[in-house]
Amino acid sequence: MKTREHIIEFIQKQKTAFVGSVDEDGFPNLKAMFTPRKIDGNSFYFSTNTSSLRSQQFIKNPKACIYFYNRGRFKYEGIMLIGTMEVLQDDDIKQEIWCTGDTMYYKKGVTDPDYCVLKFTAIKGRHYCNLKTESFQIEDLK
């Protein structure tokens, strides 16, 4: 089984996160996003627009997954984490993960009402590498 440390290091090296939500008809929806701005224990923090379809879906149904992968020349590795997503409007967390270039997306700055934070909390996951797939519970990771 992979360690928590391996999973976090792997995620931090990736440039893209795939974020899955559930729409109003119960179908999965997937979107590519920038990787998490902050990782704290089992929680992963992303910035996005409050008005985005994904944010609205998470408000209605917090079930979510995030997926990261690395496709090398001879090796493919992927990690999917399953859990819940919260849409946060808390000023402290918005300020904490804000980056200078974010004004390109949020014209009014860190206080822009269309700027929010997605907080994903992992419960379980699956790891794929070297033609092997392994499921794991987050609390079982060392």
Side-chain angles (χ1 to χ4, degrees):
M1 176 183 291
K2 291 294 174 191
T3 64
R4 182 183 305 270
E5 182 179 328
H6 170 83
I7 291 169
I8 300 303
E9 285 177 11
F10 179 82
I11 288 171
Q12 289 173 329
K13 290 178 186 172
Q14 308 319 309
K15 293 180 173 53
T16 305
F18 294 91
V19 177
S21 58
V22 179
D23 71 15
E24 60 278 354
D25 296 319
F27 288 98
N29 288 212
L30 196 61
K31 177 182 177 149
M33 294 181 68
F34 293 119
T35 54
R37 296 265 176 99
K38 174 184 175 181
I39 300 173
D40 182 20
N42 301 338
S43 297
F44 300 77
Y45 296 81
F46 301 85
S47 68
T48 196
N49 295 85
T50 309
S51 61
S52 73
L53 175 62
R54 206 73 49 225
S55 293
Q56 298 311 304
Q57 288 175 339
F58 290 129
I59 289 169
K60 292 175 184 160
N61 185 343
K63 291 182 179 175
C65 71
I66 56 177
Y67 186 78
F68 304 89
Y69 80 97
N70 182 30
R71 188 177 126 213
R73 180 174 269 178
F74 301 106
K75 179 182 176 184
Y76 179 96
E77 183 173 5
I79 293 176
M80 177 182 64
L81 298 174
I82 298 167
T84 57
M85 190 77 79
E86 298 172 72
V87 179
L88 305 179
Q89 289 286 354
D90 178 75
D91 288 339
D92 290 340
I93 191 61
K94 287 170 66 171
Q95 185 71 45
E96 184 179 347
I97 73 164
W98 179 262
C99 291
T100 306
D102 285 347
T103 52
M104 182 168 70
Y105 306 105
Y106 316 106
K107 301 295 182 211
K108 297 177 182 173
V110 73
T111 60
D112 193 319
D114 198 36
Y115 166 57
C116 70
V117 174
L118 297 180
K119 177 186 178 186
F120 175 82
T121 303
I123 299 167
K124 60 184 179 177
R126 285 182 59 82
H127 176 254
Y128 173 85
C129 189
N130 297 327
L131 304 176
K132 294 179 195 156
T133 302
E134 181 178 22
S135 295
F136 56 88
Q137 296 293 317
I138 296 299
E139 70 267 6
D140 293 340
L141 294 176
K142 308 254 185 291

